[in-house]
Amino acid sequence: MARYIFVAGGVMSGIGKGITTASIGKILQSKGFKVTAIKIDPYVNVDAGTMNPVEHGEVFVTKDGLECDQDIGNYERFLGEELTDDNYLTTGRVYQTVINKERSLEYNGKCVEVVPHIPNEVIAKIKRTARKTKADFVLIEIGGTVGEYQNLLFLEAARMMKLEKSKNVIFVLVSYLPVPKIIGEMKTKPTQYAVRTLNSAGIQPDIIIARSEAPLDEPRKNKISVFCNVRKEDVISAPDIGLIYEVPINFEKDNLGKIILNKFGIKARKKGLDEWEKMVNTAKSTNKKVKIAIIGKYFQSGSFFVPDSYISIIEAVKHSSWFNKVKPELSWLSSSAYEKNPEELKKLKNFDGVIIPGGFGKRGLEGKIKAIQYCREKKIPFLGICLGMQLAVIEFGRNVCNLKNADSVEFNPKTKYPLIDLMPEQKLALKEKKYGKTMRLGNYKCLITKNSRAYLAYLKHGFNKTKNKKGDFLIEERHRHRYEFNNEFKKIFEEKGLVFSGINPEKGLVEIIEIPNHPFFIAGQFHPEFKSNPLSPHPLFNEFIRSAIKNK
Ligand code: GLN
């Protein structure tokens, strides 16, 4: 029998509702329960796959190819488990299901209405996920903040679930308490309003997580308790902290796990965030630094500059740095600098390692290619991811194989040397303007050649080690791209020393390239960052960081 915990946000967005949800999940998991988490995004998009980075930030990809919000990434990193399409819901998805059902007469000729049919569909999905995952606890994070028009129907679904399963549903409100400079005091009024708004949707929070820059003091705890109708011990202080992985530990200082279990009338099955605490202590106590540059492109949003978002990469670098007992010092470099002034490239010498992440669109590409050339020639450890691999191929093609103006057809459809090209099924999708969920998405197999550099990395850090007769490894990694290495050029590249160390066995597509006689030069068509978590960092990142430390 599953128990349900709804998490909603008050006052404003961006205050760590996702991390709170993931942390509650971690705590319950550490007490011996099976936990799963669902993210509800109130937008009409069916998934996050068609949104640009300024609108959405990173698009996270699950093993079954769902393109979703980075909160799913947080859940995976905290829970150490792979989630699926069952863990994600948007307004678009709910309506799409309801409309499809109506078209196939599944409502038996009834008038299909927003209420109750839409909330009913939300509830059906939540229960289905509970059944499929056999979870003891299902956490459901409702995106946006209370009082928004967009998430009302999801709150309505939550209210209806509480009505049906009163003993098995609780509500958590993550609210913000500002400390305005001119007043110099923490204010509770916005949170009081948020609770009232939630009340008017028929919901009373059981627990309030008080997010603020400072810890909550007694007078304010009392005030929130009295005005928001929540027991004092159920108001949890959640001040800003530097390390997100410390949040579950901090919550436990306020006994959050026990408070939640008491509300459901059950007891912990085991005790302990032990392994997690050990990881956090290592993260906090390492002082030796490793300097990593991530070369991307930047977007402007109003008066703010936002980096093309790479949260999973940042986290993966942290995980593998702690694993190697160092603290990562990350720098964001804009590739366009190298286009304007090649002298800028020399600054790359100051870094121990360079990452070129995935991306779309032409801007900043030539700068990235120059940076890759610099890393190859000056022997700076280099990790290329997705677009990063495609550009490493283009660089090698142009500068080592002498294929002048070689390119990807994504950027120059008329190039004489289409090193990166479209597969026929992709050509068709683009011709028919079918952009949603048509990229090569999610897990694909990759056979890694015995004794290659990538092989040694996976061997050492043990990641699904299925071997074939020749001793090659079969691994699975997550993808999100349309274009592929063009195998017509494979021979020329091999003759010039590039090693194709990972190949998809079903389609013969190139998955990993590497350059021998280099401290570390590996690039993959997939996204290793999606599979990294703090207790199980990714082999390629681990080896990349290890080489970066050696390169110091
Ligand atoms: N734009 C490239 C492609 O579609 C790379 C995508 C990526 O880096 N995720 O193949």
Side-chain angles (χ1 to χ4, degrees):
M1 186 188 50
R3 296 170 178 86
Y4 302 89
I5 303 174
F6 285 91
V7 181
V11 180
M12 64 185 204
S13 64
I15 54 166
K17 196 156 28 90
I19 298 295
T20 301
T21 308
S23 299
I24 293 176
K26 185 78 220 172
I27 292 171
L28 293 171
Q29 187 192 51
S30 78
K31 295 195 183 294
F33 297 97
K34 178 149 179 47
V35 177
T36 196
I38 298 174
K39 173 72 195 285
I40 296 179
D41 270 327
Y43 43 67
V44 179
N45 301 59
V46 172
D47 55 41
T50 54
M51 274 183 269
N52 76 40
V54 180
E55 293 286 333
H56 189 270
E58 177 186 281
V59 173
F60 188 79
V61 182
T62 58
K63 64 174 178 184
D64 57 344
L66 166 75
E67 296 168 279
C68 55
D69 190 77
Q70 29 138 323
D71 281 321
I72 300 279
N74 285 325
Y75 304 163
E76 285 203 354
R77 288 186 278 269
F78 276 68
L79 295 175
E81 273 174 33
E82 296 192 282
L83 303 182
T84 67
D85 196 272
D86 295 324
N87 298 80
Y88 194 54
L89 205 51
T90 69
T91 296
R93 298 189 136 211
V94 183
Y95 273 86
Q96 199 176 47
T97 315
V98 170
I99 291 168
N100 287 343
K101 273 189 176 173
E102 183 274 326
R103 292 288 83 184
S104 53
L105 222 59
E106 281 181 51
Y107 293 103
N108 297 324
K110 277 218 179 78
C111 173
V112 182
E113 302 188 81
V114 172
V115 179
H117 294 104
I118 297 297
N120 276 347
E121 191 54 47
V122 176
I123 293 171
K125 164 106 180 183
I126 293 171
K127 287 186 183 168
R128 205 159 49 234
T129 304
R131 264 197 318 275
K132 273 177 137 175
T133 56
K134 298 194 177 73
D136 300 304
F137 285 98
V138 182
L139 298 160
I140 306 113
E141 180 188 347
I142 302 178
T145 30
V146 293
E148 266 170 39
Y149 185 78
Q150 284 210 91
N151 55 20
L152 260 182
L153 288 167
F154 296 109
L155 291 174
E156 181 67 356
R159 182 191 68 78
M160 285 161 68
M161 264 191 98
K162 174 83 181 175
L163 187 69
E164 186 196 320
K165 300 176 171 286
S166 62
K167 289 205 174 66
N168 284 330
V169 175
I170 67 165
F171 297 107
V172 175
L173 179 72
V174 184
S175 194
Y176 188 68
L177 292 103
V179 187
K181 268 211 184 78
I182 35 162
I183 307 175
E185 185 192 305
M186 187 186 288
K187 304 305 283 180
T188 64
K189 194 55 72 58
T191 293
Q192 296 177 38
Y193 280 126
V195 171
R196 258 170 238 169
T197 312
L198 201 55
N199 289 161
S200 66
I203 293 172
Q204 168 61 39
D206 298 280
I207 292 166
I208 294 179
I209 309 284
R211 282 282 299 115
S212 186
E213 58 187 68
L216 203 60
D217 58 4
E218 277 301 297
R220 265 142 283 255
K221 210 172 205 181
N222 280 330
K223 217 170 182 179
I224 295 175
S225 168
V226 173
F227 288 105
C228 301
N229 204 18
V230 171
R231 293 183 327 161
K232 217 175 113 184
E233 54 270 40
D234 296 342
V235 182
I236 309 289
S237 171
D240 290 349
I241 46 170
L243 186 65
I244 53 169
Y245 301 112
E246 209 181 348
V247 174
I249 297 167
N250 275 5
F251 281 167
E252 274 302 73
K253 285 184 190 148
D254 273 356
N255 287 319
L256 182 57
K258 203 164 165 205
I259 290 171
I260 292 174
L261 292 182
N262 280 346
K263 293 207 181 281
F264 289 109
I266 49 175
K267 286 208 161 63
R269 291 177 185 160
K270 65 178 215 225
K271 142 183 180 309
L273 275 168
D274 298 355
E275 213 190 341
W276 194 260
E277 271 175 26
K278 227 164 98 190
M279 175 271 297
V280 166
N281 287 340
T282 313
K284 283 169 72 179
S285 61
T286 47
N287 290 319
K288 210 175 120 197
K289 288 197 179 116
V290 62
K291 286 166 90 177
I292 303 296
I294 300 181
I295 304 181
K297 68 178 173 204
Y298 292 77
F299 294 96
Q300 185 145 21
S301 162
S303 4
F304 298 94
F305 271 104
V306 283
D308 209 341
S309 311
Y310 312 113
I311 291 190
S312 295
I313 294 185
I314 298 173
E315 294 308 313
V317 168
K318 287 185 195 164
H319 306 155
S320 49
S321 297
W322 300 330
F323 173 83
N324 280 293
K325 303 268 184 299
V326 287
K327 212 186 202 76
E329 200 178 271
L330 282 164
S331 299
W332 296 93
L333 307 180
S334 172
S335 59
S336 51
Y338 311 126
E339 290 165 11
K340 285 180 209 129
N341 178 12
E343 281 295 298
E344 282 287 314
L345 282 169
K346 289 188 181 145
K347 291 189 187 155
L348 287 179
K349 267 202 190 122
N350 302 330
F351 294 95
D352 307 319
V354 170
I355 297 176
I356 306 256
F360 296 83
K362 219 174 150 134
R363 187 159 64 89
L365 282 181
E366 292 302 322
K368 289 183 190 171
I369 292 173
K370 285 204 168 77
I372 296 171
Q373 181 179 11
Y374 193 85
C375 291
R376 180 175 58 76
E377 291 175 350
K378 304 287 180 210
K379 305 228 183 284
I380 299 171
F382 165 80
L383 177 65
I385 296 173
C386 206
L387 178 69
M389 184 201 94
Q390 299 176 354
L391 297 180
V393 164
I394 294 170
E395 189 280 315
F396 198 89
R398 287 184 191 173
N399 301 323
V400 182
C401 306
N402 293 318
L403 305 171
K404 211 168 161 242
N405 296 328
D407 216 324
S408 161
V409 296
E410 181 181 6
F411 313 119
N412 178 8
K414 297 212 176 83
T415 174
K416 195 167 153 203
Y417 303 112
L419 303 182
I420 309 293
D421 204 355
L422 279 176
M423 301 285 285
E425 61 266 31
Q426 286 296 342
K427 275 190 190 143
L428 192 67
L430 290 186
K431 201 170 144 219
E432 293 178 346
K433 294 204 162 163
K434 289 190 174 144
Y435 300 114
K437 210 174 169 32
T438 57
M439 280 192 249
R440 188 166 171 235
L441 292 168
N443 267 9
Y444 281 90
K445 292 196 171 95
C446 166
L447 201 59
I448 306 186
T449 322
K450 193 172 176 186
N451 292 335
S452 62
R453 195 70 199 273
Y455 174 93
L456 296 175
Y458 279 92
L459 177 72
K460 197 156 137 201
H461 303 289
F463 240 49
N464 18 350
K465 286 187 284 187
T466 328
K467 273 189 195 173
N468 71 1
K469 281 194 197 117
K470 280 196 298 185
D472 303 338
F473 273 166
L474 192 61
I475 54 148
E476 273 186 315
E477 292 282 359
R478 299 187 200 171
H479 291 246
R480 182 173 187 254
H481 59 101
R482 245 182 237 294
Y483 298 82
E484 309 283 351
F485 177 77
N486 184 345
N487 278 330
E488 280 174 27
F489 293 92
K490 208 166 163 193
K491 211 163 152 252
I492 309 177
F493 276 78
E494 276 173 339
E495 278 164 12
K496 292 284 181 188
L498 194 81
V499 173
F500 295 92
S501 53
I503 303 287
N504 170 265
E506 279 120 12
K507 294 198 160 168
L509 297 171
V510 167
E511 297 279 357
I512 307 176
I513 60 160
E514 54 187 80
I515 293 177
N517 303 323
H518 189 287
F520 187 99
F521 194 106
I522 297 186
Q525 186 55 78
F526 50 83
H527 291 267
E529 70 274 22
F530 292 147
K531 278 182 93 163
S532 176
N533 72 59
L535 297 183
S536 169
H538 194 282
L540 291 182
F541 278 92
N542 280 350
E543 276 306 284
F544 168 67
I545 295 293
R546 202 177 64 84
S547 310
I549 297 168
K550 255 174 87 181
N551 181 52
K552 265 182 152 338

